[in-house]
Amino acid sequence: MNDSPDCPLVGVAAAYMPRLSEFTFEPGLVAAVDQHAAAVCDALVPAQRRPVDVPESRSPRREDLSDYVLGFTDRLSQGDWVEPVGHDFATLRLTAVCWLIREYDLLGA
């Protein structure tokens, strides 16, 4: 069920995972995506609920990230957002979601 077409992570990965290949050519993009990934993790598990001595506690759960993506993309569609050629806040955030998907194998078996 991880790769179900109904899972919002599947669509985001299909659309934004290719942007990760730009890391090689744009070092600043790596830093920006890293900051966005940290912000997403913080949104999923607020610091006050995250155990200090457990590094894995920053690992996002697929279900939580899916809910986050649903809310984020709903807000984008309500605002009539159109993906730009370059990088804006939304594309950086969605690229960060793809980095998290890949890093934590959230669509794996």
Side-chain angles (χ1 to χ4, degrees):
M1 186 129 170
N2 295 353
D3 59 355
S4 165
D6 294 335
C7 177
L9 299 182
V10 172
V12 168
Y16 294 93
M17 195 69 76
R19 287 183 176 257
L20 296 179
S21 66
E22 297 173 29
F23 282 7
T24 304
F25 308 107
E26 296 185 43
L29 180 60
V30 175
V33 169
D34 183 58
Q35 289 177 345
H36 278 269
V40 170
C41 288
D42 287 346
L44 298 178
V45 183
Q48 65 270 20
R49 292 190 345 211
R50 190 178 320 121
V52 178
D53 58 344
V54 184
E56 300 83 37
S57 67
R58 285 189 59 86
S59 302
R61 295 180 338 138
R62 186 183 72 248
E63 297 80 11
D64 295 337
L65 191 58
S66 293
D67 289 344
Y68 178 88
V69 165
L70 280 175
F72 188 77
T73 55
D74 281 350
R75 285 189 303 275
L76 290 177
S77 64
Q78 290 171 359
D80 296 325
W81 177 77
V82 176
E83 182 179 351
V85 173
H87 304 284
D88 66 353
F89 180 90
T91 57
L92 289 170
R93 189 56 58 110
L94 293 169
T95 302
V97 166
C98 289
W99 185 86
L100 292 168
I101 291 168
R102 185 183 73 183
E103 183 72 12
Y104 296 103
D105 193 26
L106 297 177
L107 293 178

